[in-house]
Amino acid sequence: MTAPPLVLQWGRERYTLKYDEDDMRDTTLGQFKEVCREVTGVPSNRMKLIFSGATMKDDSSPLASYGIYPGATVKLIGRKEDAEKGAPVTEEEREENVLIHKIDDIASHTTDVLSSRMQAYLADAQLYIDQFLSGAMDGLDQKALSEIKASEHKKLNDAYMFINETLMQSLLKIDSIVCPPEAEKARQRRRQAVKLLQSWMDQMDRKKESVKQAEATISQ
């Protein structure tokens, strides 16, 4: 399963960053600050990053040493240099920031709702294949075993339908956000969000197909 994105919260803005567990171990706080600088425009030497209520201070330490994990939220405190100098923000920039905020809100909400549900579905589907469709439990009472299989099949199907419907609704919401041609950052953020949610949908479909093929093999 694709790791849920790391969420960077800066005031009202929320940015989704693609970091998996290996990235957490390999990326130092200093390197992560540079990524945050590129995303927000806040100078790395003027930002404060907070996770789980504690300020992260050692730039040489990897993110994993702070307990950060895929799907976690890191808060950033700091101001852009231009903001400190009183540089005006154009109306177009404000409108683009609103679009980015809407996209990030949808992606973050979907991650919060589905991350654990998807992991549970993928694990339960594999367990269903391994235990009930591989013949490993054929020595048990057939009537009881058939009832358990039916119950587990329904549970998997219900979970799939909920996850798939939620992903579809989120994709439709993101698709309904109109980004003008000049709002390149917002357009890129929308593409990233769509790609992430679509990859989750593909994983769900592949696992569902694996269950279907296993059931077809057993029924032959």
Side-chain angles (χ1 to χ4, degrees):
M1 174 181 172
T2 302
L6 182 66
V7 178
L8 177 66
Q9 182 177 341
W10 177 43
R12 295 181 59 187
E13 303 293 334
R14 291 169 67 92
Y15 304 91
T16 53
L17 306 174
K18 188 176 181 181
Y19 279 81
D20 58 24
E21 292 183 355
D22 289 336
D23 295 327
M24 301 297 179
R25 290 190 291 267
D26 297 338
T27 303
T28 66
L29 176 61
Q31 292 170 330
F32 183 65
K33 283 183 176 179
E34 284 302 305
V35 174
C36 295
R37 178 188 62 77
E38 294 176 1
V39 171
T40 65
V42 177
S44 57
N45 62 343
R46 298 186 182 182
M47 69 174 61
K48 180 186 293 185
L49 293 176
I50 299 173
F51 175 67
S52 193
T55 300
M56 298 181 285
K57 297 180 179 180
D58 186 358
D59 287 351
S60 64
S61 296
L63 296 181
S65 68
Y66 293 100
I68 300 175
Y69 53 88
T73 297
V74 175
K75 294 184 179 180
L76 184 152
I77 298 177
R79 300 177 64 187
K80 292 183 180 181
E81 286 183 320
D82 287 346
E84 293 175 351
K85 295 175 183 177
V89 178
T90 66
E91 183 63 27
E92 289 78 10
E93 289 174 329
R94 281 194 290 268
E95 291 177 354
E96 184 170 23
N97 285 337
V98 170
L99 293 174
I100 291 173
H101 183 66
K102 288 181 179 179
I103 295 167
D104 286 347
D105 270 355
I106 295 170
S108 297
H109 175 72
T110 307
T111 298
D112 292 342
V113 172
L114 294 186
S115 181
S116 60
R117 290 176 182 267
M118 284 189 61
Q119 293 179 32
Y121 172 83
L122 295 172
D124 289 346
Q126 191 58 51
L127 184 65
Y128 177 73
I129 293 173
D130 293 342
Q131 290 191 352
F132 296 107
L133 302 182
S134 65
M137 302 180 70
D138 285 350
L140 300 180
D141 177 80
Q142 289 302 307
K143 180 180 179 181
L145 184 58
S146 295
E147 291 177 352
I148 295 174
K149 283 183 180 180
S151 175
E152 290 300 312
H153 177 86
K154 182 180 185 303
K155 184 174 74 172
L156 285 175
N157 188 66
D158 290 346
Y160 172 86
M161 294 300 293
F162 175 83
I163 295 170
N164 191 66
E165 180 63 24
T166 303
L167 287 171
M168 284 295 299
Q169 290 178 0
S170 297
L171 285 169
L172 289 172
K173 288 178 182 178
I174 292 175
D175 189 58
S176 69
I177 298 176
V178 179
C179 300
E182 63 273 14
E184 182 53 39
K185 290 182 180 179
R187 291 167 66 87
Q188 182 179 5
R189 191 65 58 83
R190 186 175 63 179
R191 288 193 295 269
Q192 291 172 343
V194 168
K195 184 177 180 181
L196 174 67
L197 299 185
Q198 187 62 59
S199 71
W200 287 3
M201 187 173 288
D202 291 343
Q203 289 182 68
M204 294 293 296
D205 288 342
R206 286 196 298 270
K207 183 57 70 174
K208 182 182 181 183
E209 183 61 26
S210 296
V211 171
K212 183 179 179 181
Q213 290 178 358
E215 289 178 330
T217 300
I218 294 301
S219 63
Q220 290 178 356

